[in-house]
């Protein structure tokens, strides 16, 4: 049912996605938002892009925070904001890094994960980041990375901006910059 799970190579049981989602709903969101807000502000400022914080929520992503390059919350969709996983960089990250999430998506949207989608998910798993080149929203490119707590993906950080300022090669460099920023923040 998804309440407990075993990790590969580990005989112990760990909390599964459903319990973690209930815990997140019960109050973990504010703590996570406060913990990662400095990272969002730093990567938004360094990149000149809009930074987003999202968490998996059932078979969707819930956006908890948004920061513009000036450190303010833009007048874009209010947070929390929910959307389907398929197609967005954040969604690719969650589908690639959260065990069992693809099965949940297939249970609610039977044809959501075709061979092309599964191939893309595998590429994200290998690279450690996901790109969205105007696929989810025309006029907007983005890159997302996973954020892990004790080895488990709990959230995703994403940067978005116009394609002329954020072409594919720059987004790849920004993915690595975000990974370093998260690593530095987690070490402190």
């Amino acid at each position: 049912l998804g309440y407990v799970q075993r990790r590969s190579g580990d005989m112990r049981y760990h909390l599964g996605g459903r319990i973690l989602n209930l815990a997140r709903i019960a109050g973990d969101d504010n703590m996570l938002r406060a913990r990662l807000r400095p990272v969002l502000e730093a990567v938004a400022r360094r990149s000149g892009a809009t930074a987003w914080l999202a968490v998996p929520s059932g078979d969707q992503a819930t956006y908890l925070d948004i920061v513009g390059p000036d450190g303010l919350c833009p007048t874009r969709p209010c947070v929390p904001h929910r959307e389907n996983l398929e197609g967005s960089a954040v969604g690719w990250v969650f589908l690639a890094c959260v065990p069992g999430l693809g099965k949940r998506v297939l249970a609610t949207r039977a044809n959501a994960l075709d061979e092309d989608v599964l191939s893309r998910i595998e590429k994200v798993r290998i690279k450690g980041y996901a790109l969205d080149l105007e696929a989810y929203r025309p006029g907007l490119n983005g890159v997302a990375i996973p954020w892990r707590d004790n080895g488990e993906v709990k959230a995703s950080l994403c940067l978005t901006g116009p394609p002329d300022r954020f072409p594919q090669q720059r987004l790849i460099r920004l993915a690595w910059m975000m990974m370093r920023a998260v690593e530095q923040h987690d070490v402190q």
Side-chain angles (χ1 to χ4, degrees), residues 8-24:
S8 61
D10 189 347
M11 295 303 293
R12 296 174 294 172
Y13 286 95
H14 300 272
L15 296 178
R18 288 191 178 190
I19 287 291
L20 293 173
N21 192 40
L22 290 172
R24 185 192 60 74

Side-chain angles (χ1 to χ4, degrees), residues 27-103:
D28 198 33
D29 287 355
N30 288 333
M31 204 166 46
L32 186 62
R33 187 182 301 114
R35 182 174 178 184
L36 293 177
R37 181 67 185 230
V39 177
L40 282 181
E41 291 172 347
V43 298
R45 187 176 49 255
R46 281 187 224 152
S47 66
T50 301
W52 302 76
L53 172 64
V55 293
S57 181
D59 61 348
Q60 294 185 313
T62 298
Y63 291 86
L64 301 180
D65 205 357
I66 177 174
V67 178
D70 56 4
L72 302 175
C73 181
T75 57
R76 294 221 175 113
C78 297
V79 287
H81 168 75
R82 291 173 62 111
E83 62 188 20
N84 288 341
L85 296 172
E86 313 90 82
S88 72
V90 165
W92 296 125
V93 164
F94 290 145
L95 287 167
C97 300
V98 177
L101 191 54
K103 289 179 185 175

Side-chain angles (χ1 to χ4, degrees), residues 5 7 14-15 20 28 31-32 35-36 55 97 146-156 182 185-186:
Q5 66 186 24
R7 297 179 190 145
H14 300 272
L15 296 178
L20 293 173
D28 198 33
M31 204 166 46
L32 186 62
R35 182 174 178 184
L36 293 177
V55 293
C97 300
W147 178 78
R148 290 176 171 84
D149 188 26
N150 294 320
E152 290 185 46
V153 172
K154 301 286 180 102
S156 175
V182 166
H185 180 266
D186 286 348

Side-chain angles (χ1 to χ4, degrees), residues 127 129-131 133 142-143 145 166-180:
K127 291 180 178 181
Y129 63 85
L131 297 176
L133 304 175
V143 60
I145 65 164
F166 297 93
Q168 181 174 348
Q169 289 306 315
R170 182 167 184 218
L171 291 174
I172 292 169
R173 288 191 307 273
L174 290 173
W176 294 106
M177 180 271 294
M178 286 194 300
M179 289 179 206
R180 283 190 304 275

